[in-house]
Amino acid sequence: SVSRAIKPFAEPGRPPDWFSQKHCASQYSELLETTETPKRKRGEKGEVVETVEDVIVRKLTAERVEELKKIIKETQEKYRQLKKDAELIQAGHMDNRLEELCNEIMMWVIQLF
């Protein structure tokens, strides 16, 4: 059920069986095997002990946050460049490169979707 629920959020280029139950189970199993088991602490009863699952969630969350920061930075840089190009086009300084710029913009838009 999890594999079906997350399928709409798939990144482009994933193979068709990426969200199969078998593949999801093997990926989760690999995560469990490669994650260090947190050391249990001696303490008072009722103390919350971090589980392997907690470690995995924290690690994957941190990785995703970094990925998103990178994507945001790249998008902002591209926006600045497009804005600069638009200003140059409006000023008439890029008339000889209009077709090339149009193709670049179309490729960028296609990559977004």
Side-chain angles (χ1 to χ4, degrees), residues 54-90:
D54 294 333
V55 173
I56 291 171
V57 167
R58 190 175 63 249
K59 175 185 170 191
L60 293 177
T61 301
E63 287 176 7
R64 185 61 178 153
V65 166
E66 289 305 313
E67 288 174 9
L68 292 173
K69 284 180 181 179
K70 181 181 175 188
I71 291 169
I72 289 170
K73 184 178 178 184
E74 290 171 355
T75 304
Q76 287 173 334
E77 289 172 6
K78 189 64 179 175
Y79 171 78
R80 281 193 218 62
Q81 183 61 45
L82 290 172
K83 187 174 179 179
K84 180 181 171 186
D85 289 347
E87 290 168 357
L88 290 172
I89 290 169
Q90 288 176 345

Side-chain angles (χ1 to χ4, degrees), residues 1-109:
S1 63
V2 171
S3 63
R4 281 187 302 252
I6 63 175
K7 193 171 188 174
F9 304 104
E11 298 165 353
R14 293 284 185 201
D17 67 339
W18 182 259
F19 291 102
S20 70
Q21 290 180 356
K22 184 178 179 181
H23 191 262
C24 286
S26 69
Q27 289 292 320
Y28 183 69
S29 177
E30 185 179 325
L31 276 172
L32 287 175
E33 291 172 7
T34 59
T35 304
E36 283 187 37
T37 305
K39 296 179 182 176
R40 293 191 174 250
K41 300 175 185 174
R42 293 184 181 216
E44 297 178 23
K45 289 183 179 179
E47 183 178 330
V48 177
V49 178
E50 189 175 50
T51 64
V52 176
E53 291 83 5
D54 294 333
V55 173
I56 291 171
V57 167
R58 190 175 63 249
K59 175 185 170 191
L60 293 177
T61 301
E63 287 176 7
R64 185 61 178 153
V65 166
E66 289 305 313
E67 288 174 9
L68 292 173
K69 284 180 181 179
K70 181 181 175 188
I71 291 169
I72 289 170
K73 184 178 178 184
E74 290 171 355
T75 304
Q76 287 173 334
E77 289 172 6
K78 189 64 179 175
Y79 171 78
R80 281 193 218 62
Q81 183 61 45
L82 290 172
K83 187 174 179 179
K84 180 181 171 186
D85 289 347
E87 290 168 357
L88 290 172
I89 290 169
Q90 288 176 345
H93 299 293
M94 303 277 281
D95 289 346
N96 58 339
R97 292 191 54 222
L98 284 178
E99 189 173 334
E100 178 186 340
L101 289 171
C102 185
N103 290 335
E104 285 180 24
I105 291 169
M106 291 303 291
M107 292 304 293
W108 185 68
V109 169

